[in-house]
Structures are given as C-alpha cells and as structure tokens.
Amino acid sequence: MLGRHFKTVSTTDTMAQGVDTIDDTNRMSLLNEKWATFSKADLVVTDRLHGMLFSILTGRPCLVFANNNHKIESTISTWLQDVHSVKLVTPDSVTSVENQLKR
C-alpha cells in the first residue's frame, strides 16, 4: 500500500546495528545517525513508541499502529493530544490507513 503513495519505501528500526555496547562515548553519534535516517522520511509508519517519538523529534509525520501494551495510546492521549503530525490507526482497518495516507 505504501508503494502506491511513495516512490521509495524503506524499513528500519530503532536498534543500533553492529554495536555491542552503547555508552557515553557513542550514544549521541548513534542517536544522530538514527535521527538522520528518520529525518529523510516523508512519513514514518510504526507500531513502536520510540519510532513515534523519533518521528516527532525529527519533524516527520507518523502513522502509528496501536500495540498490545497500550503505551502508544496512553502516550498520545496524555502527552501528545495536540501533536497533529501523529495519527493513531488500527491495524485491522486498511481503509483508515489509506485515508490517512491521502491526507
């Protein structure tokens, strides 16, 4: 579905690749690398809290799927209710995702 709306679709996560230990010497450079990846996206689609937060930090719009621990819904309803770049979608509603992509 994303391929119909965007020229390039790429996959990433919030894990540091090829790093055994994250400490004071590499933490900021690893975060900056990951944020640079997020900042290049036209849209972030995630079901992870950190993916949603990284999209906000990098100024990217985000479609976020609810997950089984309710952290996403809780964070949106308590802290992010005024953040209009984040849209909560339900995983069983393809129509809802399509409508959000059109917006």
Side-chain angles (χ1 to χ4, degrees):
M1 180 183 356
L2 292 172
R4 291 193 308 263
H5 296 275
F6 298 95
K7 181 179 176 183
T8 303
V9 176
S10 59
T11 303
T12 189
D13 60 26
T14 56
M15 300 295 294
Q17 304 300 318
V19 177
D20 294 328
T21 304
I22 297 175
D23 56 28
D24 290 342
T25 63
N26 64 1
R27 181 175 292 116
M28 284 313 300
S29 65
L30 292 168
L31 276 171
N32 285 328
E33 280 179 37
K34 188 52 67 176
W35 291 336
T37 300
F38 272 67
S39 69
K40 293 174 187 167
D42 292 324
L43 174 70
V44 173
V45 179
T46 188
D47 66 346
R48 309 303 297 168
L49 179 65
H50 284 91
M52 178 179 70
L53 296 175
F54 286 4
S55 75
I56 294 167
L57 288 171
T58 58
R60 308 317 309 154
C62 181
L63 291 177
V64 60
F65 287 87
N67 60 21
N68 60 357
N69 63 23
H70 306 290
K71 285 193 278 186
I72 289 171
E73 299 102 307
S74 178
T75 302
I76 289 173
S77 67
T78 56
W79 295 99
L80 304 176
Q81 65 268 29
D82 295 328
V83 178
H84 302 292
S85 63
V86 173
K87 301 295 180 194
L88 180 66
V89 293
T90 58
D92 58 348
S93 176
V94 173
T95 303
S96 176
V97 173
E98 279 283 351
N99 289 337
Q100 292 296 328
L101 287 172
K102 289 175 186 172
R103 291 184 197 150

